[in-house]
């Protein structure tokens, strides 16, 4: 029987252990999607206790506590930090099979050196031990980032944000971790929202553009894209429940829809589609011109619980997987149109619905061509008409080593899918239907400075999966190739995307 969370945690073969220890374990971290606040990093905030570190913003944990019957007073209410922590430990200690149990125990061990299993019996001892460590140790936001061997963080930012703390961090010679903004224009697209007109007023103020029509809206948004780019941004992020797209609409159609909304009229489904389609096309044109990549998140149904939404607001832990709509057809049409018009930026695509994994991989496989003139430069058949002596084996290998990242990438197992089975399923589907070595590795998608153990969790699962392929004779035990695959997925691909040395 294996020992819980020992040094071989989740590594079920000698090959997996070797791959993890030799190649994955010590690689730096690039966290290209998270919800940390640049202000908290710049101010190098400290933490009084584990409740502040673990529970303050973590709606993952809130959901689990509610599911276990904990009163809201001990979750988001006015109970003391100690009492909230004790309730969390009691719940976590029985959360068998939940990734939160794994993550929390890893965080406690990796950052605090406490190897007591989290449960009700150990809760008080863990509370006081961690208090002493926090009081006497170096546990500020920056120190936790540095201890985690993080090289880059991409925060998530609305177009109207001033990015003052990103600018300050970039100028701070005492902190060498890059903290870059990500352009998240969801509110610009949300034309049906009650707050849409007020939001456009704010957008107009920060951009210096009076938004009266679609053309002025584009000028306002593009000015913010330029501003984000000047602050190091190379990544956009679009989140949506479902994808709507129809290339038959033009800017005139989008303009009519926007003007109706600005005059407080309801927009029809057709008008909504016209507005969102044209806006997406125009923004992708800007992204492509700047060499930005685009994260596309969908299939999330947000804020299901009105009572908790009214009490807490967004990110209350009341979101769910969305299903029952056809994302594949509009996404296919969108990618095809952008590709045909030569304005297809690199896309990193995530669905919250795990049933969509194979659909995503087979779709993006349709748009991975690397065209130079009329020749598909990465085709294995391109050498068929050449003299056999034209390229040596070494030259072919060198050419393969400088292959660019895929144009379209299936993102890491996201949110409800970043469990053991969710991560493994995501990786297996990418391997079976696409090109696993082209993956971008893990992200935290978190507001916690302790969440970097999720990268360790991912890397252990990855090494166990690949080790399993080797053990079963499904892939050769070629150390050079295996090292390249592991290091590319865990670090090199993301480092190349963000030009990290």
């Amino acid at each position: 029987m294996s020992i819980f969370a020992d040094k071989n945690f989740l590594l079920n073969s000698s090959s997996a252990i070797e791959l993890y220890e030799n190649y994955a374990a010590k690689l730096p971290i690039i966290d290209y999607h998270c919800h940390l606040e640049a202000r908290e990093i710049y101010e190098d905030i400290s933490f009084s206790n584990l409740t502040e570190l673990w529970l303050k913003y973590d709606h993952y944990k809130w959901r689990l506590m509610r599911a276990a019957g904990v009163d809201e007073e001990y979750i988001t209410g006015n109970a003391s930090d100690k009492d909230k922590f004790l309730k969390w430990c009691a719940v976590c200690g029985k959360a068998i099979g939940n990734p939160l149990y794994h993550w929390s125990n890893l965080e406690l061990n990796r950052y605090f050196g406490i190897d007591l299993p989290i449960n009700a019996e150990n809760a008080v001892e863990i509370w006081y031990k961690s208090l002493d460590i926090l009081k006497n140790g170096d546990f500020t936001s920056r120190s936790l980032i540095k201890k985690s061997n993080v090289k880059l963080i991409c925060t998530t930012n609305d177009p109207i944000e001033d990015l003052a703390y990103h600018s300050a961090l970039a100028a701070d010679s005492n902190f060498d971790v890059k903290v870059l903004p990500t352009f998240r224009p969801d509110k610009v697209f949300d034309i049906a929202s009650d707050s849409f007109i007020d939001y456009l007023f704010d957008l107009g103020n920060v951009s210096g553009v009076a938004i009266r029509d679609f053309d002025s809206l584009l000028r306002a948004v593009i000015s913010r894209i330029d501003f984000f780019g000047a602050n190091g941004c190379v990544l956009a992020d679009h989140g949506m429940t479902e994808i709507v797209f129809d290339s038959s609409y033009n800017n005139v159609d989008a303009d009519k829809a926007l003007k109706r909304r600005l005059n407080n009229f309801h927009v029809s489904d057709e008008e909504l589609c016209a507005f969102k389609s044209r806006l997406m096309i125009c923004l992708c044109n800007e992204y492509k011109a700047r060499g930005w990549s685009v994260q596309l998140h969908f299939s999330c149904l947000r804020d299901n619980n009105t009572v908790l939404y009214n009490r807490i607001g967004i990110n209350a832990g009341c979101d769910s997987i969305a299903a029952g709509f056809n994302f594949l057809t509009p996404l296919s049409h969108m990618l095809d149109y952008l590709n045909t018009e030569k304005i297809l930026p690199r896309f990193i695509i995530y669905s919250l619905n795990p049933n969509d994994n194979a659909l995503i991989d087979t779709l993006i496989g349709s748009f991975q061509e690397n065209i130079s003139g009329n020749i598909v430069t990465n085709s294995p058949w391109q050498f068929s008409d050449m003299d056999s002596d034209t390229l040596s084996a070494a030259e072919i290998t060198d050419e393969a080593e400088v292959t660019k990242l895929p144009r379209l990438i299936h993102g890491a197992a996201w949110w409800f899918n970043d469990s053991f089975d969710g991560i493994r399923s995501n990786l297996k589907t990418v391997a079976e239907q696409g090109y696993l070595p082209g993956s971008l590795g893990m992200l935290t998608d978190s507001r916690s400075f302790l969440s970097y153990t999720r990268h360790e969790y991912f890397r252990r699962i990855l090494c166990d999966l690949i080790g399993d392929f080797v053990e079963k004779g499904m892939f050769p035990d070629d150390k050079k190739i295996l090292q390249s695959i592991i290091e590319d997925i865990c670090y090199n691909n993301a480092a190349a995307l963000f030009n990290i040395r």
Side-chain angles (χ1 to χ4, degrees):
M1 181 177 67
S2 299
I3 300 172
F4 171 67
D6 67 357
K7 67 184 183 67
N8 295 330
F9 179 52
L10 301 180
L11 305 172
N12 295 301
S13 67
S14 58
S15 294
I17 294 169
E18 183 178 4
L19 292 174
Y20 180 74
E21 290 182 348
N22 291 347
Y23 309 133
K26 296 180 181 179
L27 287 172
I29 287 173
I30 293 179
D31 192 20
Y32 57 91
H33 180 81
C34 75
H35 298 278
L36 295 176
E37 294 288 342
R39 176 190 62 80
E40 294 184 344
I41 301 173
Y42 178 74
E43 294 178 351
D44 200 20
I45 64 170
S46 57
F47 305 91
S48 300
N49 56 59
L50 267 176
T51 298
E52 289 185 3
L53 267 168
W54 264 355
L55 300 173
K56 190 173 181 181
Y57 301 115
D58 196 337
H59 51 80
Y60 280 78
K61 293 184 177 72
W62 298 351
R63 287 173 63 94
L64 184 61
M65 293 172 77
R66 290 176 188 138
V70 175
D71 190 280
E72 195 68 26
E73 180 72 4
Y74 296 94
I75 302 172
T76 61
N78 295 320
S80 70
D81 283 356
K82 181 181 178 181
D83 286 344
K84 288 180 177 179
F85 178 79
L86 297 181
K87 290 287 187 182
W88 162 245
C89 287
V91 170
C92 183
K94 295 183 178 180
I96 187 169
N98 194 302
L100 284 168
Y101 183 78
H102 294 150
W103 299 343
S104 298
N105 279 281
L106 287 174
E107 290 167 13
L108 191 65
N109 180 270
R110 302 302 187 259
Y111 293 102
F112 292 87
I114 298 174
D115 57 7
L116 293 170
I118 298 169
N119 55 41
E121 181 180 352
N122 294 329
V124 173
E125 184 177 354
I126 292 171
W127 173 258
Y128 284 110
K129 279 189 173 182
S130 63
L131 281 181
D132 288 340
I133 293 169
L134 285 169
K135 185 186 302 180
N136 301 313
D138 188 12
F139 279 81
T140 64
S141 58
R142 292 192 186 193
S143 67
L144 289 170
I145 290 169
K146 295 292 289 183
K147 286 176 183 177
S148 304
N149 198 17
V150 179
K151 296 298 182 183
L152 176 136
I153 293 168
C154 289
T155 60
T156 304
N157 305 94
D158 190 276
I160 68 174
E161 293 186 34
D162 64 14
L163 306 183
Y165 290 103
H166 292 83
S167 178
L169 282 165
D172 189 345
S173 60
N174 295 317
F175 190 62
D176 61 357
V177 178
K178 282 190 176 182
V179 181
L180 303 181
T182 298
F183 188 76
R184 181 75 178 250
D186 294 3
K187 292 181 180 178
V188 184
F189 281 79
D190 198 6
I191 190 172
S193 168
D194 292 339
S195 60
F196 179 73
I197 295 176
D198 289 339
Y199 178 79
L200 290 196
F201 180 80
D202 293 336
L203 177 61
N205 281 340
V206 298
S207 63
V209 177
I211 300 174
R212 299 188 177 93
D213 52 25
F214 191 67
D215 180 67
S216 56
L217 172 64
L218 286 179
R219 284 188 280 113
V221 176
I222 291 170
S223 75
R224 300 309 293 171
I225 292 175
D226 289 337
F227 175 72
F228 270 61
N231 281 275
C233 179
V234 293
L235 191 62
D237 183 14
H238 290 247
M240 55 194 70
T241 299
E242 56 184 316
I243 297 171
V244 294
F245 184 83
D246 188 334
S247 62
S248 66
Y249 293 112
N250 55 36
N251 282 18
V252 174
D253 299 317
D255 186 65
K256 289 179 180 177
L258 179 58
K259 286 178 176 176
R260 277 182 54 81
R261 185 67 186 88
L262 290 174
N263 284 293
N264 287 307
F265 288 106
H266 172 76
V267 292
S268 66
D269 289 344
E270 182 180 352
E271 290 167 330
L272 184 145
C273 183
F275 177 78
K276 290 187 174 183
S277 298
R278 290 310 303 175
L279 184 57
M280 192 68 176
I281 290 168
C282 293
L283 294 194
C284 283
N285 183 49
E286 299 297 326
Y287 301 150
K288 175 68 172 178
R290 290 163 173 77
W292 285 19
S293 299
V294 182
Q295 294 184 102
L296 184 63
H297 292 87
F298 56 89
S299 292
C300 177
L301 188 61
R302 299 180 185 271
D303 304 320
N304 294 291
N305 187 325
T306 302
V307 172
L308 284 180
Y309 176 80
N310 290 338
R311 176 176 176 175
I312 302 169
I314 63 172
N315 301 317
C318 301
D319 308 317
S320 65
I321 295 170
F325 65 91
N326 175 20
F327 78 90
L328 198 63
T329 299
L331 180 58
S332 171
H333 290 169
M334 182 174 75
L335 296 175
D336 188 48
Y337 179 84
L338 297 174
N339 188 48
T340 301
E341 297 298 315
K342 297 181 172 58
I343 56 172
L344 177 63
R346 176 176 288 109
F347 268 83
I348 306 163
I349 299 176
Y350 313 78
S351 172
L352 197 54
N353 191 336
N355 295 322
D356 295 340
N357 282 344
L359 302 179
I360 291 171
D361 285 308
T362 54
L363 175 62
I364 66 178
S366 303
F367 298 96
Q368 300 288 31
E369 74 270 24
N370 181 9
I371 297 176
S372 176
N374 293 319
I375 300 174
V376 181
T377 58
N378 63 350
S379 168
W381 308 112
Q382 72 183 80
F383 305 113
S384 59
D385 295 330
M386 296 182 180
D387 188 290
S388 60
D389 296 328
T390 301
L391 291 177
S392 68
E395 289 171 324
I396 294 173
T397 301
D398 289 342
E399 176 70 17
E401 306 240 288
V402 297
T403 300
K404 295 179 180 178
L405 288 173
R407 303 172 79 201
L408 303 177
I409 298 171
H410 189 168
W414 172 45
W415 198 342
F416 297 126
N417 298 321
D418 54 9
S419 60
F420 175 83
D421 285 337
I423 293 171
R424 192 176 176 93
S425 176
N426 175 281
L427 291 170
K428 283 194 67 177
T429 308
V430 173
E432 291 168 355
Q433 302 294 345
Y435 185 62
L436 185 60
S439 299
L440 276 182
M442 194 52 175
L443 43 80
T444 63
D445 191 28
S446 173
R447 291 164 178 79
S448 169
F449 289 96
L450 295 185
S451 290
Y452 297 110
T453 53
R454 295 182 192 180
H455 287 260
E456 176 185 341
Y457 194 64
F458 169 88
R459 291 172 181 183
R460 287 177 177 274
I461 294 170
L462 171 69
C463 291
D464 186 63
L465 176 66
I466 292 178
D468 192 45
F469 289 160
V470 173
E471 294 282 328
K472 292 179 177 177
M474 297 171 66
F475 197 85
D477 189 15
D478 186 317
K479 296 298 189 293
K480 182 179 180 181
I481 293 178
L482 292 170
Q483 177 180 0
S484 173
I485 292 171
I486 295 292
E487 292 181 348
D488 284 351
I489 295 171
C490 293
Y491 179 75
N492 291 338
N493 291 338
L497 184 63
F498 295 99
N499 196 28
I500 302 294
R501 300 298 179 184

